[in-house]
């Protein structure tokens, strides 16, 4: 292998734990009044006054949730913030602060962590988030990233999973299936690269898919849009594991059933063409692929006119009584029961 002489590889041991923490956190700026104390004490302090505080956390493990042979560290930093912000938005709350904890093996030089933190900082700036703490430790093998996000909302604005009622409309933001296909494309190119490292992959056809996989955006815009339209969802969840499992979560929490229509599921044209190329069924990908980070929510029928003209919102079905079950009506007009086939990191398959 040819060593890039310009690419420095500073061992983490050169800095020591505290030197490393100082180095990585030096560019973070506090933006919010609610951040009373950020990095630098035994604990951070936040003050949301009369608001409710929402807290969510995610753990990402190398080899389980990401593969550094195709996920650039900068993107990984950005994405690990997004997955948390998405959960905060799914409560109809505004994220304000995050903590970032990492465990790294000595295989990572300082420059790698700088990349990771550059991505974290880009996300923090763009989404107006304060980084208020974290923890840094070593791992025997690989990289682990855990981010916790804090946000706030007025009590009456919070939206839970359990509020869907019979006859409510089921709405999805954006389109789904692309992130999963992006992963398939990257994995395929990675295999080709292993066999022939001189083979430079041409991913230009798949830009949208790869971007959805590597650099997802949390739907802050959808939360703002709903607020502007004066629509408060009756229930909401973010689509991290695939539509099947998310609709099941909503229905179980709300004690209702649902009917979804296959021909209403929003798919990007690249998803359709790439499914043909990979000989995959696009509905299966949309239902079971994960990591789209769209919002799935329910609204009252009377709010339909407020959202119907909007290109980023699609009504895909409606809520039914619980004993009707959870069904997909196919293009051929048959009813298929929806089963959770979302990606499950603990399953054997
Ligand atoms: P403690 O010994 O109390 O756990 P640390 O020395 O680990 O404190 O951390 C010092 C400060 O730096 C704390 O404010 C902590 O929240 C913050 N911090 C530590 N690691 C990270 C990290 N990876 N990213 C952001 N902040 C961090
Ligand atoms: Mg610590």
């Amino acid at each position: 292998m040819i060593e890039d002489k310009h690419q420095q590889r500073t061992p983490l041991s050169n800095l020591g734990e505290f030197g490393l923490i100082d180095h990585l956190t030096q560019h973070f700026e506090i933006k919010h009044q609610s951040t009373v104390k950020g990095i630098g004490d035994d604990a951070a302090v936040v003050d949301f006054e009369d608001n409710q505080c929402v807290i969510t956390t995610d753990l990402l493990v190398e080899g389980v949730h990401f593969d550094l042979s195709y996920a650039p560290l900068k993107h990984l930093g950005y994405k690990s913030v997004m997955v948390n912000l998405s959960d905060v938005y799914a409560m109809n709350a505004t994220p304000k602060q995050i903590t970032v904890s990492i465990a790294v093996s000595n295989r990572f030089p300082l420059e790698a962590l700088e990349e990771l933190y550059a991505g974290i900082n880009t996300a923090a700036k763009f989404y107006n988030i304060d980084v208020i703490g974290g923890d840094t430790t070593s791992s025997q093998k690989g990289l682990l990233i855990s981010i916790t996000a804090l946000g706030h909302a007025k009590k009456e604005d919070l939206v839970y999973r359990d509020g869907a009622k019979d006859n409510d409309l089921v709405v999805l933001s954006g389109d789904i299936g692309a992130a999963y296909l992006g992963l398939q494309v990257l994995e395929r190119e990675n295999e080709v690269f292993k066999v022939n490292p001189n083979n430079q992959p041409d991913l230009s056809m798949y830009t949208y898919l790869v971007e959805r996989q590597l650099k997802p955006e949390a739907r802050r815009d959808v939360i703002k849009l709903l607020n502007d339209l004066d629509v408060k969802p009756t229930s909401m969840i973010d689509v991290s594991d695939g539509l099947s499992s998310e609709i099941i979560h909503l229905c179980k929490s709300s004690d209702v059933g649902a009917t979804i229509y296959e021909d209403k599921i929003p798919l990007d044209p690249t998803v359709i063409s790439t499914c043909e190329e990979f000989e995959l069924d696009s509905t299966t990908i949309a239902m079971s692929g994960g990591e789209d980070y769209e919002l799935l929510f329910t609204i009252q029928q009377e709010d339909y006119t407020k959202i119907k003209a909007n290109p980023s919102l699609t009504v895909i079905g409606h809520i039914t009584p619980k004993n009707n079950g959870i069904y997909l009506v196919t293009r051929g007009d048959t009813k298929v029961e929806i089963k959770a086939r979302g990606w499950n990191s603990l399953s054997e398959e």
Side-chain angles (χ1 to χ4, degrees), residues 313-324:
L313 302 176
T314 310
V315 176
I316 60 167
H318 56 85
I319 296 295
T320 61
K322 185 185 183 180
N323 55 14
N324 283 33

Side-chain angles (χ1 to χ4, degrees), residues 17-18 21 25 39-41 100 102 117 133-136:
E17 183 188 332
F18 301 116
I21 294 172
T25 59
I39 291 169
D41 212 310
V100 180
I102 52 171
Y117 269 72
D135 202 20
T136 308

